[in-house]
Amino acid sequence: MLFGAAAGAFLPRIAHRLTVPFGTPARSACGRCGRAYPAGAAGWIHAGPACGAGGHWPSVTFALAAGVLAAALGPVPQLPVHLLAAIPGLLLAMIDLGCLRLPDRLVGMFALAGGIPLALLAPDRIVPALAAGLLVGAAYLAIALLPGHGLGLGDVKLGAALAFLLGFAGWPAVAVCLGTAHLLNGSIAAWLLVTRKGRPIPFGPALLVGFLLATAT
């Protein structure tokens, strides 16, 4: 949990700078007060809440996620892999909640941060993992191409990446992740329909919650 709290403290500014529409450069100044960010790494690395960059919730969320993973997995080689992969995962959730976008580079970083170590730890599971990623990616792409789909290409790529990572654990883990994600977003959509508060719903956070649950079970 200490690792999660410490790592999560540095995420708000990064997420704030990347929470922009597709094709728009990262923010060069705070979206709330207009203060320009310093050039170089100093403009990205900032611990703690900052103006326009959210409060303490990313640090708390990451600490809880790290605690759940540590308690569920125990001292196994896969634990540090999942903890490191959780950093771009939380960033993706924060950005998707802010602007309904899942940057390709972060999705790729998430897949590589988890996929390469898992492949080294379990080379015999590479083929099933690739099969899971390809199958889920193809299914989600077909859904995204349908009229009124509700899925974006970022969701397709993230779903494929998560299925690939969970493929190392087996198909039941993939099913838990996707089932949880659709149940969560379906419940939110139903609540918005009942309350007549129609609005776009980001799917990335639900997928990542499903991934956490599938990894921890």
Side-chain angles (χ1 to χ4, degrees), residues 125-154:
R125 297 294 304 171
I126 293 177
V127 172
L130 288 173
L134 289 173
L135 181 61
V136 172
Y140 273 16
L141 180 60
I143 295 173
L145 294 176
L146 292 174
H149 47 76
L151 284 181
L153 291 180

Side-chain angles (χ1 to χ4, degrees), residues 17-127:
R17 294 195 63 173
L18 295 177
T19 303
V20 293
F22 178 78
T24 303
R27 298 179 192 268
S28 59
C30 177
R32 182 175 299 174
C33 69
R35 182 183 60 195
Y37 291 123
W44 292 89
I45 301 174
H46 176 87
C51 179
H56 293 284
W57 75 266
S59 185
V60 173
T61 302
F62 201 1
L64 290 174
V68 168
L69 288 173
L73 298 179
V76 296
Q78 289 83 358
L79 178 59
V81 175
H82 290 301
L83 290 178
L84 289 176
I87 296 175
L90 182 55
L91 275 175
L92 285 166
M94 295 168 69
I95 295 168
D96 203 19
L97 286 169
C99 66
L100 299 174
R101 188 171 75 91
L102 294 164
D104 289 344
R105 289 184 180 181
L106 272 180
V107 174
M109 185 185 303
F110 180 80
L112 291 175
I116 293 177
L118 289 175
L120 293 175
L121 290 170
D124 59 310
R125 297 294 304 171
I126 293 177
V127 172

